[in-house]
């Protein structure tokens, strides 16, 4: 690990903040330190999990990607998505909301999706043995969403949930701080120290979709898998969803 200080870069527009963070992490001369982060007002090719796109109106939301160089092993990289979702939930709780974590990495507010998280492992460059980029899309002041009714969990924003506008730069900085804190906690104290906080916010009973199957979330196991109830009443353990 390095003692180079993390930095923040903001751009008005880009393909994806995760593209910029990836390139920065692997930069041959000045690679991004652990905790360096990128934000944008607008993404032309924002991406979500499982090949989906991430649409966000210009200048109304947090679009943030952070370079992470954890000291825990790369085999536990899956925990970063959980840590990122929990970090945003920490911030929303501080803001007076009651966020719920929908397995694996979404954050719900009032039963709708306010936050999406996409973690990608990336070429680490010279500074660490492995690295990842945690991309966070948090809907802040957006009022209208296209095709919202077609989604299993329609989008919402902090504005729609609270009725007031939030300072986007301030929310982004708070989320970045919270994510660094949660990764530091995992690095120092292990996953078992983080896990009870994650479990406290789980959206039990959430509907999950895998292919054509809709199941109900019963519980999340400490290894990150989900225990679900299938439509025929039987139980199964899922390690991924659509
Ligand atoms: C999902 O819910 O499928 C994950 C969405 C992740 C979106 C964020 S916005 C910032 C970063 N840049 C991207 O292109 N994606 C992530």
């Amino acid at each position: 690990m390095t003692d180079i200080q993390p930095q923040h870069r903001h751009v008005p527009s880009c393909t994806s903040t995760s593209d910029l963070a990836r390139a920065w992490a692997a930069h041959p001369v000045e690679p991004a330190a652990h905790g360096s982060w990128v934000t944008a007002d607008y993404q032309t090719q924002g991406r979500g999990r499982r090949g989906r796109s991430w649409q966000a109106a210009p200048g109304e939301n947090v679009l943030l990607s952070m370079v992470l160089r954890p000291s825990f092993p790369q085999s536990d990289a899956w925990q970063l998505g959980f840590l990122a979702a929990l970090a945003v939930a920490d911030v929303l709780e501080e803001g007076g909301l009651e966020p719920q974590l929908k397995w694996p990495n979404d954050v719900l507010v009032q039963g709708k999706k306010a936050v999406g998280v996409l973690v990608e492992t990336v070429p680490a460059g010279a500074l660490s043995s492995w690295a990842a980029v945690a991309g966070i899309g948090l809907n802040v002041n957006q009022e209208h969403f296209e095709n919202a009714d077609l989604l299993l969990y329609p989008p919402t924003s902090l504005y729609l949930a609270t009725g007031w506008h939030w300072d986007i730069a301030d929310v982004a900085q708070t989320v970045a701080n919270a994510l660094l804190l949660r990764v530091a906690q995992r690095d120092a104290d292990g996953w078992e120290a983080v896990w009870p906080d994650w479990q406290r916010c789980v959206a039990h009973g959430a509907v999950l979709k895998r292919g054509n199957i809709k199941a109900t979330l019963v519980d999340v196991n400490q290894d990150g898998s989900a225990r679900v109830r299938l439509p025929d009443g039987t139980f199964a353990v899922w390690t991924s969803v659509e």
Side-chain angles (χ1 to χ4, degrees):
M1 191 51 68
T2 172
D3 56 4
I4 303 171
Q5 289 306 304
Q7 295 171 33
H8 173 214
R9 291 178 181 170
H10 179 81
V11 295
S13 172
C14 60
T15 52
S16 157
T17 52
S18 292
D19 289 341
L20 298 185
R22 284 180 92 95
W24 193 8
H27 194 279
V29 182
E30 291 181 76
H34 172 71
S36 292
W37 52 298
V38 179
T39 49
D41 295 329
Y42 183 60
Q43 298 181 131
T44 56
Q45 290 169 49
R47 56 181 178 268
R49 295 177 61 252
R50 304 183 86 77
R52 285 186 287 254
S53 66
W54 183 260
Q55 309 287 344
E60 296 187 358
N61 303 298
V62 168
L63 303 165
L64 181 161
S65 295
M66 182 179 277
V67 176
L68 296 168
R69 302 181 184 279
S71 43
F72 60 80
Q74 184 168 3
S75 52
D76 288 342
W78 62 269
Q79 294 170 7
L80 290 174
F82 286 67
L83 289 165
L86 180 59
V88 183
D90 290 338
V91 172
L92 301 189
E93 263 188 351
E94 277 288 309
L97 294 160
E98 291 178 16
Q100 285 194 301
L101 296 169
K102 180 178 154 282
W103 184 85
N105 296 156
D106 292 344
V107 185
L108 304 179
V109 173
Q110 298 170 355
K112 297 182 175 180
K113 178 166 169 169
V115 182
V117 169
L118 173 70
V119 174
E120 299 165 319
T121 48
V122 301
L127 294 184
S128 57
S129 62
W130 70 284
V133 165
I136 296 173
L138 164 58
N139 299 328
V140 181
N141 292 328
Q142 189 164 337
E143 211 170 323
H144 302 289
F145 294 90
E146 301 270 314
N147 300 323
D149 297 341
L150 303 178
L151 300 168
L152 187 56
Y153 282 89
T156 190
S157 66
L158 302 188
Y159 169 72
L160 290 174
T162 61
W164 62 81
H165 288 98
W166 296 56
D167 183 308
I168 292 165
D170 189 46
V171 175
Q173 179 69 64
T174 313
V175 167
N177 295 346
L179 177 54
L180 263 179
L181 271 178
R182 283 295 183 181
V183 176
Q185 180 190 28
R186 165 63 184 91
D187 273 336
D189 303 329
W191 182 237
E192 50 292 352
V194 177
W195 185 238
D197 291 346
W198 211 91
Q199 275 222 312
R200 192 172 47 80
C201 298
V202 173
H204 292 113
V207 178
L208 306 177
K209 212 168 151 235
R210 190 194 231 185
N212 291 328
I213 305 170
K214 278 186 187 171
T216 308
L217 179 63
V218 177
D219 224 335
V220 182
N221 300 314
Q222 196 168 332
D223 66 3
S225 61
R227 216 161 74 82
V228 299
R229 192 170 56 249
L230 299 171
D232 66 2
T234 60
F235 292 89
V237 173
W238 282 5
T239 53
S240 66
V241 276
E242 184 181 84

